[in-house]
Structure formats: C-alpha cells, structure tokens
Amino acid sequence: MKVQLLVTKTDFSVPNIEREFRHLGIGYQVEYIEDHPDLVSRHNIRHSPNILIDGELAFRYHPTETELKDYFYDHKTRH
C-alpha cells in the first residue's frame, strides 16, 4: 500500500499527521503540492493536506487518528 501525504510546504498540520501515521504504524511519503502539478490537476486539489492511498484521493482534510485507524483497518479487512 502506497500512502502519500500531499501537502503545501507551509502546511503546519504536517507534523501532527506524521505523528499519527507513526503511532498507527503506517508507512508514508510526504509529497509537496508545489512539486506535483500533475497530482493537483488529476485530483482537483485546492488546499492542504490531502492523503492519497494507492494513487487515489482518500482524504481532502486532516483526518483524526480514529478516522485513519478506521480507514486502514477497514481497508485491510476488505483485502
């Protein structure tokens, strides 16, 4: 599973999301909106943060740790 945190370089929520990912044991990559206009266009990105999972937009906002846990738990049980 490829998890990308797609954010602006000035997004102050990044450390919090990274802490939640680490706490849940979720591997991820940080990608900057400014460096990926193709992703911005493809997913109609208008703000930060965004979370892509396997190339699909899963969150357009900063989810709570509970939302992340629910999403990843549900995803694992379906596959």
Side-chain angles (χ1 to χ4, degrees), residues 10-61:
T10 59
D11 188 332
F12 293 108
S13 68
V14 173
N16 291 333
I17 298 171
E18 288 183 306
R19 184 173 39 257
E20 291 164 359
F21 280 155
R22 285 190 305 271
H23 184 253
L24 294 171
I26 299 168
Y28 65 96
Q29 298 172 318
V30 175
E31 306 283 356
Y32 295 104
I33 287 172
E34 296 88 345
D35 298 334
H36 294 281
D38 57 318
L39 292 176
V40 171
S41 178
R42 184 178 319 135
H43 298 289
N44 197 28
I45 303 285
R46 302 219 181 269
H47 56 79
S48 179
N50 300 274
I51 299 174
L52 300 175
I53 300 174
D54 293 332
E56 298 298 321
L57 187 60
F59 295 96
R60 289 187 181 268
Y61 59 92

